[in-house]
Amino acid sequence: MGLERVFADEPAFVPYVAAGDPTYEESLEYVEALERGGADVIELGLPFSEPIAEGSTIQEAVVRSLEGGMTPERYFEFVEDLDVEVPLVCMTYYNLIAQYTHPETGETGPRAFARRADEVGIEGFVVVDLPAEEAGPLRAACDEFDQDLVFIIAPTTKGERLERMQENVSGYVYVQARLGVTGARDDVSDQTEESLARVDDWDVPKAVGFGIKTGEHAERIVSAGADGIIVGSALVDIVADGADPDVDQPFAETAQRLEAKARELKEGALAGAERAAAEHPD
């Protein structure tokens, strides 16, 4: 049943990190630490040189990854080298997909990209800048290779665009909790319930992201009706500390902090489900 299975029994914790940030080997360890901490599915960023939807935290992660030599083919090798059991989702920009050439077949474009992703075990995609109206080729490739296509629903998304997303989405829908770019916040948007209500009749799980930083945030988001939480910047901040010579945070400590933060966020999500059940018993 695709990525929907991850949300079947309890709220899912979906972390994001950029592959190769700050180095290939360190990043492998960091992704595996997130699984140990309770990740249910991992959004693994394939960095693009113009990450227009990202705040400064993730922009800097993208720079570190690119400077470390990350490319689409290196990314697929990275996925092959990972020792994790949870599903992996590729989060990237459409330019990289459209221009990708399969190293063996020579085919170019969405089908080539989806095929290569399937070969290494990637189960879905979040393409930040892909309009639903133009998703046909990638949607067809996902159908062929049994992959999911996740869309990001902003608070301003409505009308025909929202309908097109509903037609093309699978796996789960990424509900943006606030306007603006990505980044950890100190509060939780009061738009969450309103945003969830707009996709209430969709037959895929609803995962809320943008701004979630603490276990308390996770609890509030899930208690408001989310099926899962997506967290990026709060985790990338920890990776950035490990990459900053002024902070002098050892590699092992960075991995431990990531695992601990993941556990905090997953436990918060579970507490949110318990709170929702108590407040709205069947």
Side-chain angles (χ1 to χ4, degrees), residues 63-183:
V63 169
R64 290 191 297 268
S65 176
L66 291 172
E67 288 180 345
M70 186 55 63
T71 65
E73 202 52 50
R74 187 73 167 143
Y75 175 90
F76 291 129
E77 293 170 4
F78 181 92
V79 173
E80 285 186 305
D81 286 342
L82 278 171
D83 183 16
V84 296
E85 299 296 327
V86 297
L88 299 172
V89 171
C90 173
M91 188 170 191
T92 192
Y93 287 75
Y94 194 67
N95 183 274
L96 294 179
I97 296 174
Q99 296 188 7
Y100 180 76
T101 299
H102 194 284
E104 294 182 3
T105 68
E107 182 182 10
T108 298
R111 185 179 183 276
F113 191 89
R115 175 177 177 172
R116 186 74 181 101
D118 178 60
E119 290 168 355
V120 300
I122 291 170
E123 295 193 31
F125 306 100
V126 181
V127 186
V128 177
D129 60 341
L130 177 62
E133 299 86 346
E134 300 174 20
L138 183 57
R139 177 70 266 176
C142 287
D143 290 341
E144 179 178 353
F145 295 105
D146 196 24
Q147 295 158 324
D148 286 312
L149 184 56
V150 177
F151 286 95
I152 300 175
I153 305 297
T156 53
T157 307
K158 56 186 177 182
E160 185 176 344
R161 172 157 293 186
L162 197 64
E163 293 174 5
R164 287 289 185 91
M165 288 181 173
Q166 185 176 8
E167 292 168 2
N168 284 286
V169 72
S170 64
Y172 59 96
V173 60
Y174 184 151
V175 180
Q176 182 179 327
R178 63 177 74 239
L179 291 172
V181 296
T182 57

Side-chain angles (χ1 to χ4, degrees), residues 54-61 181-183:
E54 316 299 353
S56 60
T57 296
I58 292 179
Q59 285 185 8
E60 290 163 8
V181 296
T182 57

